[in-house]
Amino acid sequence: MLTYKELAVDDYPFLEEIVQASPEWKREEKFEGNIEEYLLVYKMYHGKWYVWYDKSMPVGISYFLEWSPSNEKPWLGTVLIEPGLRGDGYGRQIIDNICNELSKENHKAIFAACPIERDDWLLFLAKCNFEQFKVEKSDTEKKYMILVRPL
C-alpha cells in the first residue's frame, strides 16, 4: 500500500532524479533545471505536490488540482515514477489513490490533458481508466487530448 506526504525542500533531490530521467516531460513542461522556480509557477493554482512511498522507499511524485480555473473541476497534472520502478504499477496506484481522495471530497470526475503526439502517455492514462473527452488547441496551436475519469 502506498503512502504519501506533501513535497518538501528535502525531497527536491528525488524530484531532480526523476526529472533528469524524464526528457519528454522536461521538454513538455519547459523545465530548465531550477526546481524552486518551476514549482513557483504552480503555486498560484494551489495544487498538491505529493511524494509517494512504498514502505519507506520513495517511488514517485504527483501533482494535481482539486479545483481548476478552466472548468472548476479536479485535474491531474503530473505523475513521475522513479526510473527503475517504471512499469511496476506505481503510476496506476498513485492515480487510483488521488481519485479515491477526490471521491471522498465528493468530486465526480478528474480531468487530464496530454499532448496529442504523446501516444505512450495517452495509453498509460487509458489504462488508468481515463476516457477521451475532446481535443483542444493551446494558444500556440499545439493539440492536446483532454481526458476524463469518472470517480
Side-chain angles (χ1 to χ4, degrees):
M1 182 167 114
L2 296 182
T3 58
Y4 66 86
K5 72 174 187 80
E6 289 194 29
L7 182 72
V9 173
D10 61 331
D11 300 310
Y12 289 3
F14 178 62
L15 176 56
E16 180 69 32
E17 173 191 335
I18 293 175
V19 165
Q20 291 309 319
S22 307
E24 298 89 2
W25 182 88
K26 284 172 63 173
R27 276 193 298 280
E28 292 298 337
E29 288 293 307
K30 297 176 179 45
F31 181 82
E32 307 217 355
N34 187 314
I35 289 176
E36 290 176 350
E37 286 179 18
Y38 175 78
L39 295 174
L40 192 58
V41 171
Y42 285 89
K43 191 170 183 129
M44 69 179 175
Y45 295 111
H46 304 286
K48 296 180 180 180
W49 285 97
Y50 288 165
V51 180
W52 293 87
Y53 294 87
D54 186 352
K55 299 180 178 69
S56 62
M57 179 181 66
V59 296
I61 300 228
S62 68
Y63 176 77
F64 70 99
L65 301 169
E66 281 194 61
W67 184 90
S68 168
S70 64
N71 67 352
E72 301 180 353
K73 305 285 185 207
W75 280 75
L76 179 65
T78 292
V79 175
L80 291 170
I81 303 301
E82 199 274 296
L85 300 173
R86 292 179 182 169
D88 290 348
Y90 287 112
R92 251 193 250 181
Q93 289 179 61
I94 288 169
I95 290 174
D96 286 345
N97 284 330
I98 290 169
C99 289
N100 289 338
E101 182 176 319
L102 292 168
S103 183
K104 288 176 187 173
E105 298 295 322
N106 295 316
H107 292 287
K108 304 297 180 212
I110 184 171
F111 289 81
C114 181
I116 202 98
E117 68 276 2
R118 296 286 178 201
D119 294 338
D120 52 341
W121 295 2
L122 289 168
L123 288 171
F124 167 71
L125 290 168
K127 288 178 183 177
C128 295
N129 300 315
F130 279 85
E131 302 167 7
Q132 295 179 4
F133 183 62
K134 64 181 175 176
V135 174
E136 286 187 355
K137 285 185 183 177
S138 70
D139 296 341
T140 61
E141 297 296 307
K142 185 170 182 161
K143 288 185 180 179
Y144 288 85
M145 176 66 67
I146 307 300
L147 304 109
V148 62
R149 176 178 164 167
L151 300 178

